Every structure is written in C-alpha cells, then in structure tokens.
Amino acid sequence: MSLVVMKFGGTSVADTDKIKNVAAKAAAKKLQGHDVVVVASAMAGVTDKLIGYLKAITPNYDLREYDQMVSTGETANVPLVVQALKQAGLSSESFTGMQAGIETDNKYSKARITKINAERIKKALSSGKICVVAGFQGYCPETGDITTLGRGGSDTTAVAIAAALKADVCEIYTDVDGVYTADPRIVRNAKKMDVISHEEMLELSSLGAKVLVSRCIELGMNYNVNIMVLSSLEDKPGTLVTSQTEAIMEEMVVSGVTSDKNQAKIALRNLPDRPGIAAELFTKLAEANVNVDMIIQNFGSNGKADITFTVSNTEFSLGKDVCKKLYDGISGVKMEFDENIAKVSIVGVGMKSHSGVAATMFKNLSDNNINIMMISTSEIKVSCIINEKFNELAVRVLHDAFLGNEDDVGK
Ligand code: ADP
Ligand code: ASP
Ligand code: MG
C-alpha cells in the first residue's frame, strides 16, 4: 500500500461542485488501496478578496493580522472537502496547519516550515481516514500564532507533508495538465513536458512560472519527493518533477521560458565609491525584510558608483523608504524608481555545455525592439529586465527562438 498526497489549488476547489469532484478523486485513490492526504487551498479569489479588505482599511496593515485573516480561506474550505467525502461514504477528518503539526518560524506572511509533528495525521491515516489539511498555513510555537507560507504556499504544505510522511508521490492538481515549456496562457504552442528535473523546475518557478511555488521544489529536492503536476479536470498524464532526470534533460539547451511581472527596479546613482556603501544599503534592506533579487554595481566617474537592484512589487515601497532614509538630501545622489518592469528568463541545464545561448536571447529581443535594462546569468539560466509592456511579446519571441515553431507562436 502506498501513501499519496493530493493537493488541489484554488481553481480546483472554486465552488461546491468542484469540491465534490475533488472528493471523488480522493475517494477513488483511497478505494484503489492507497492512504490519502488531501491538501486544499482556499476557493479561487478568496485570498485576494481577504487581502483587499485589509488594504481597504490601510495599505500598511499588520502582518500578524494578515496571517490571522488570510489563513481563514483555507480553514473554511477543508471541512467542505471532508463533508463531500463523508457524503460519498468515506471516513475523513479536516486539519488546520496547527492541527497537522506544521511548525514555522515567526516571519508572518512568508513563514518557513521548521518542523512537522505528523503523529496526529499518521494516527488518522492508520484508522483509515482520508486526512484533509488546510494548505498555506502553519503556526509558530514561539509566539503561538498562526502563520502563512507566502502566496501559493499550499504547494509547500503538500510537499512538506509528503516529505514528513515519506509519501510515494506528491500530486499537485491544478488548472493546467502539467508543466509546459512556457505559460500556456501566453504561448499557445507551448509543449507539455513529461518530466523535468527539480533543479530546472526550481529555476523556472523562482523566475515566475507560477504552476509550482519555488519553495515546494526546494523541499522536493532536499527530501527527494517526486512531484506530479496534473489537471484536476481531465484525466491525462501530467509532468513528473524529479531528481532522476539528468540524462534526459541535458539534451535540451533551453527547456523553458518564463517571466515575472512582480518586479520593481531601484537605481541609485552617484553614490560615494568607497568600501561599505553596498554593505550599508543591503544590510538596511535586509533589516527591513526586503528581499533583493538582481543587483548591478558599476563604477561611475569622479569616485562615484551606481547601484541598481530589483525587488518584488510587494516590497517596493518598503525598499523605497529604506533608500530615501539613507540618501535623501545627500548631495549628488539620484534615485530612480520603476515599477513597470518584467523579468524574462530562459532556463535549461544544457546551457552548462553550450555557448551562444545568451547571445541568441539578446539578438531575438533586439530584433523585436525590446530594450534590455539589466541582465543576470547563472549556469542554467539567463534573465533580462525589460519594460513590462513587452513581457508577453518577449516570452513568445524567446519561446519561438529556442523551443517553438514560428507559425504557431502567439496564435
Ligand atoms: P493553483 O491555484 O492550482 O495553485 P496556479 O494559478 O498557482 O494554480 O498555477 C497554475 C497556473 O500556472 C496555470 O494556470 C498557468 O497559467 C501558470 N503557468 C505559468 N507558467 C507555467 C508553465 N510553464 N507551465 C504550466 N503552467 C504555467
Ligand atoms: N490561497 C493561497 C494563495 O492564494 C495559497 C494557495 O492557493 O496556494 O496564495
Ligand atoms: Mg499555485
């Protein structure tokens, strides 16, 4: 007998009919003889709606209260799945993150799981129950508070539980039937992958492919969890995300194109060019809990230096405040802030052994009059910051250049 974790995202549990469909899938799995843990998200749109209420009261809401509130979307959904399972004649019980033993650190709104005390779930499974766990939430033992794991965090809950229970597979059911070479909503002729390595999927997710949240792939990689991305609506083969793919994947130079519009750029010009300037800036940003993504430092003229960096849109205003506090009124220093940017990236382990990939990327962007503002590379990816208005065009052009067929692109 095997143990399967089945995670259903917001669109898959968006109304009571869809919840009945989820229950039918979980019931079928149980009747095949597997132990089953279901992880469910909030109904589609509910988390955004709850955040909207908070923002309507103040844009500077308290993150403890944010967690307390947004976790309710998932909390309210799991009893519905349990009731639907009971209607189908199965034994089932719902669990909040806390009841499932999911311990986190104290970083409200982006907490990391530190430990899972899985005894209660194990006991329920051994008594034949289908356990239905609220995704996206945990609790911090130090404060006794509910925490959330960052947007899209139900994927993280699912893989973490799969790791803790040593499940045979973690199935992620969503509104697409697998991982594609680009977001199929942007590139119509994107191709579904049968298999992708954890390493490449981690890059694709951290660079914007929202089909899986990057933290869940890190866990999958560290605890060797096979993740299967599947459609919750159609019975089709999905995409396996695993560590056992090196041989297959190395044949591909570029395996995916992705983009991220949740980016903002801060450029600081004419900073004094002396040791400690970058250390001071990035320490202050870290103290304010601002995660910095790309960084470019360049020496200017007359003992001055320029630093440009990117942050997520959600942390943009915090980042701006840090810079203004440091540099407002300092003679000659100029600050530029730009929210209308996107990061477009190509990913592929084959890049390790192929030259000219970055050049092809830059040429294709320039042929389409897309200006590159910043570039960053690693062994298996190249990313460019561009104007947000060219985001979708850039993804199509690059997919066409590396993976596609010109005639189909963007149709
Ligand atoms: P869920 O609510 O089930 O967690 P998400 O909206 O978080 O679902 O993720 C699914 C979405 O991810 C798809 O609808 C698709 O538009 C998007 N997506 C982005 N990049 C990719 C990709 N490379 N392959 C498949 N889907 C992708
Ligand atoms: N409901 C949360 C969100 O919308 C978590 C999730 O769906 O994974 O971000
Ligand atoms: Mg998601």
Side-chain angles (χ1 to χ4, degrees):
M1 188 159 70
S2 71
L3 171 60
V4 182
V5 175
M6 305 170 82
K7 179 260 172 179
F8 294 89
T11 44
S12 310
V13 286
D15 55 45
T16 45
D17 282 339
K18 293 210 167 105
I19 286 176
K20 287 180 192 163
N21 169 52
V22 163
K25 280 191 172 293
K29 192 73 78 182
K30 176 76 186 161
L31 296 173
Q32 283 163 16
H34 304 288
D35 276 343
V36 178
V37 177
V38 171
V39 173
S41 290
M43 288 186 184
V46 166
T47 309
D48 286 337
K49 201 167 163 188
L50 294 173
I51 297 171
Y53 290 139
L54 270 177
K55 282 190 174 157
I57 292 177
T58 166
N60 299 318
Y61 47 80
D62 186 286
L63 292 177
R64 178 186 182 276
E65 302 311 320
Y66 166 96
D67 278 358
Q68 189 91 335
M69 177 157 193
V70 297
S71 59
T72 61
E74 272 72 10
T75 307
N77 226 11
V78 284
L80 297 176
V81 179
V82 169
Q83 282 305 324
L85 281 164
K86 284 184 189 283
Q87 284 308 109
L90 286 120
S91 169
S92 175
E93 197 175 6
S94 66
F95 297 84
T96 62
M98 185 189 279
Q99 290 166 337
I102 300 175
E103 292 188 5
T104 73
D105 62 17
N106 61 5
K107 300 272 183 312
Y108 297 117
S109 85
K110 50 181 177 189
R112 290 172 80 90
I113 297 174
T114 48
K115 190 175 168 197
I116 298 191
N117 301 311
E119 293 318 310
R120 198 164 163 187
I121 296 281
K122 281 185 187 159
K123 207 167 154 204
L125 286 174
S126 64
S127 70
K129 287 181 180 158
I130 296 180
C131 297
V132 184
V133 180
F136 181 50
Q137 49 171 271
Y139 82 106
C140 171
E142 184 192 322
T143 57
D145 282 341
I146 293 174
T147 50
T148 63
L149 309 175
R151 296 303 308 268
S154 298
D155 295 343
T156 313
T157 306
V159 178
I161 288 182
L165 296 174
K166 300 197 172 42
D168 296 83
V169 63
C170 180
E171 298 180 339
I172 305 277
Y173 289 86
T174 183
D175 58 359
V176 281
D177 59 357
V179 179
Y180 281 71
T181 48
D183 186 341
R185 296 185 203 289
I186 299 181
V187 181
R188 287 267 309 272
N189 64 329
K191 297 177 202 87
K192 187 163 79 181
M193 305 177 199
D194 297 331
V195 62
I196 181 169
S197 63
H198 280 130
E199 187 190 11
E200 279 178 306
M201 193 64 230
L202 179 59
E203 283 288 1
L204 280 177
S205 295
S206 18
L207 295 168
K210 110 182 232 256
V211 59
L212 288 176
V213 87
S214 59
R215 180 75 187 119
C216 90
I217 329 277
E218 277 170 32
L219 288 172
M221 216 163 179
N222 293 342
Y223 293 93
N224 210 5
V225 179
N226 284 336
I227 302 169
M228 192 72 169
V229 179
L230 294 155
S231 162
S232 61
L233 299 170
E234 295 167 288
D235 248 338
K236 279 185 173 178
T239 301
L240 176 66
V241 187
T242 175
S243 290
Q244 288 112 45
T245 60
E246 291 295 307
I248 310 164
M249 303 312 298
E250 252 154 20
E251 287 164 19
M252 303 289 295
V253 178
V254 170
S255 47
V257 179
T258 188
S259 70
D260 185 1
K261 289 199 280 188
N262 179 25
Q263 291 269 317
K265 177 167 75 82
I266 298 183
L268 305 168
R269 308 209 186 282
N270 299 327
L271 299 173
D273 192 8
R274 60 170 166 75
I277 283 292
E280 182 184 32
L281 168 62
F282 292 107
T283 303
K284 291 274 188 263
L285 287 164
E287 282 167 5
N289 259 321
V290 177
N291 280 324
V292 175
D293 182 11
M294 276 191 206
I295 303 175
I296 294 179
Q297 173 166 1
N298 222 334
F299 59 85
S301 49
N302 305 325
K304 303 287 181 195
D306 296 343
I307 296 181
T308 307
F309 60 94
T310 59
V311 296
S312 70
N313 274 335
T314 36
E315 290 171 2
F316 184 48
S317 96
L318 271 178
K320 259 196 325 201
D321 290 348
V322 169
C323 294
K324 285 186 176 160
K325 267 195 202 129
L326 277 172
Y327 305 117
D328 244 352
I330 298 198
S331 122
V333 174
K334 279 198 185 135
M335 292 181 264
E336 289 163 26
F337 304 105
D338 187 357
E339 258 186 300
N340 300 317
I341 59 159
K343 179 166 68 177
V344 59
S345 308
I346 53 173
V347 172
V349 284
M351 274 184 221
K352 287 179 188 173
S353 50
H354 284 76
S355 56
V357 180
T360 307
M361 177 181 193
F362 306 152
K363 168 99 176 56
N364 277 277
L365 292 175
S366 89
D367 285 350
N368 286 275
N369 279 324
I370 302 173
N371 188 42
I372 301 171
M373 301 177 195
M374 295 169 82
I375 298 169
S376 122
T377 63
S378 79
E379 255 195 328
I380 67 161
K381 68 117 204 250
V382 185
S383 299
C384 296
I385 297 290
I386 59 170
N387 188 311
E388 191 181 49
K389 71 179 179 208
F390 296 124
N391 178 54
E392 300 202 348
L393 173 65
V395 172
R396 289 191 188 113
V397 159
L398 295 175
H399 190 271
D400 176 25
F402 291 104
L403 292 152
N405 166 351
E406 197 172 336
D407 296 338
D408 301 336
V409 172
K411 279 190 187 164

